[in-house]
Structure formats: C-alpha cells, structure tokens
Amino acid sequence: RGFRLVVDYGFSAASFVLPLVLGPLGVEAVSAHGFTTDRTDSTSALLRETIGQVKQLVPAVGADLGVVLDRAAERLYLVDERGREIPVEQSLLLFLRLIGTDGRRGKLAFPITVTSQVDRLLEGSGLEVIRTPASLGELTKAAAEDGVIFAGAVGGGYVFPEFVPAYDAVASLCKLLELLAPVRRPVSELVADLPE
C-alpha cells in the first residue's frame, strides 16, 4: 500500500495547493480543516485543538503520519503513526537525521538558540552547520547563501532554499515525504532513535 497521511490544513490556503501535489506523489490523504475561515480563536489555542484532533485521527484511519499546518501554511507540526505528537525539537532533529543519511552535501543553518544536539547528530555526515542570530530574518538570509540546503528553527519552521528561502509547510512536507520514502521504518521508530 502507499503512504497514508492525515493533513490538517489549519484553515490555511494550502488546502488549494497541497492536494494537487499529493496525488501525483501517490500519497493517500485524509484531510481536515481544508477551507479558510473567519475564526478568531487565538492561534496557539487553535493549533493545540487541531493537533489534538490529528492525534486521534491518525491511528483511527491507520495513517503513517499526521501533519498540522499553521494558518499561514509556514510551519509544520508532526504526529507519528501511533497518534503521538512529535515535539518540535525532535521534528527538527528528524529532518536532520534524514538529510544526514541521504548522501547530500552542503550547509545547514540554525539559530544559536537551537540545541547543540544538532552538531552531535551531524558529526561525520559531511554537512556543515552554520549558526545565525536568533531571528527569522537572519535565518532566511543565511538560507539564501550559496551551498545552504536546509535551514530550520525550533517551532516547526523549515527552509528548503532550493524551493524558496523562507518557511513553507507544503515544501517541508513534500521534502519530508521524499526523505522518508526510502527509509521504510515507522516514524515512531525513527523518533525513538533521536536524542531527547
């Protein structure tokens, strides 16, 4: 069977684009909140609510992964196949572990506030870590430099500069699916191997 995904669009406009991308990738998706709304809940309350719903949906439909997009479709939050939320720190490390083992070479940019586990995780991978001041502007500026293949910060924001040097949840999800494709292990196992 193909990859099965639960996607909560978080009432973002990504619901107009992502289905057109997932179909050709052969990904079966169960969607929630795939429409824009005038809801005025606080962003963090709405995010907690949607993550809670995805945690229930993922095991109910037998999905391999659950993802929640924020309202701007910039940030990506992950839920493993058992319905457990993956902390944003470990989501960042999951991206790094997958990038570090796929044979790519280049530079990775992170704010100085990101855990030193990043450096330990990438030892011997041939990837170079660049640290930036703790601001989104500085991170995206570094991401636009030659040779940078990934930038990320804690909080669900990931940058794949070959696509766009800014946070983009749709690009991040597609890249995550590409990195997971050859692995053939449950996401919960991959996360269990990561540092706390």
Side-chain angles (χ1 to χ4, degrees):
R1 84 178 171 85
F3 200 84
R4 186 174 292 165
L5 186 66
V6 169
V7 180
D8 190 305
Y9 289 101
F11 305 103
S12 73
S15 61
F16 300 116
V17 176
L18 189 55
L20 302 174
V21 175
L22 293 177
L25 293 177
V27 173
E28 180 184 341
V30 174
S31 302
H33 302 123
F35 49 89
T36 56
T37 182
D38 294 333
R39 280 183 68 170
T40 56
D41 310 31
S42 87
T43 306
S44 61
L46 183 58
L47 183 63
R48 296 288 1 125
E49 179 187 326
T50 56
I51 289 173
Q53 291 170 353
V54 169
K55 287 167 63 174
Q56 294 175 351
L57 261 176
V58 168
V61 301
D64 300 295
L65 179 68
V67 297
V68 175
L69 284 64
D70 70 345
R71 193 116 178 220
E74 293 177 344
R75 297 174 186 267
L76 186 69
Y77 303 92
L78 306 177
V79 173
D80 73 16
E81 79 284 354
R82 295 179 178 178
R84 293 183 301 206
E85 181 180 355
I86 301 172
V88 286
E89 297 84 358
Q90 284 196 306
S91 294
L92 177 62
L93 295 178
L94 175 63
F95 269 102
L96 298 187
R97 171 65 53 83
L98 293 168
I99 290 168
T101 56
D102 86 339
R104 292 198 58 199
R105 296 291 170 256
K107 300 174 189 171
L108 310 177
F110 307 100
I112 56 171
T113 52
V114 168
T115 175
S116 60
Q117 292 288 356
V118 162
D119 304 282
R120 284 194 276 282
L121 195 64
L122 294 172
E123 281 177 8
S125 68
L127 295 163
E128 179 186 344
V129 173
I130 299 170
R131 293 292 184 158
T132 71
S135 80
L136 177 56
E138 291 294 329
L139 184 67
T140 55
K141 184 174 146 189
E145 293 176 8
D146 282 346
V148 176
I149 60 170
F150 175 80
V154 171
Y158 312 107
V159 179
F160 289 91
E162 63 193 358
F163 179 70
V164 65
Y167 289 165
D168 187 296
V170 172
S172 298
L173 174 58
C174 291
K175 193 64 178 179
L176 180 61
L177 293 172
E178 176 189 325
L179 292 165
L180 285 171
V183 175
R184 305 264 183 236
R185 287 177 64 199
V187 172
S188 61
E189 278 184 24
L190 296 172
V191 172
D193 290 344
L194 296 171
E196 290 290 328

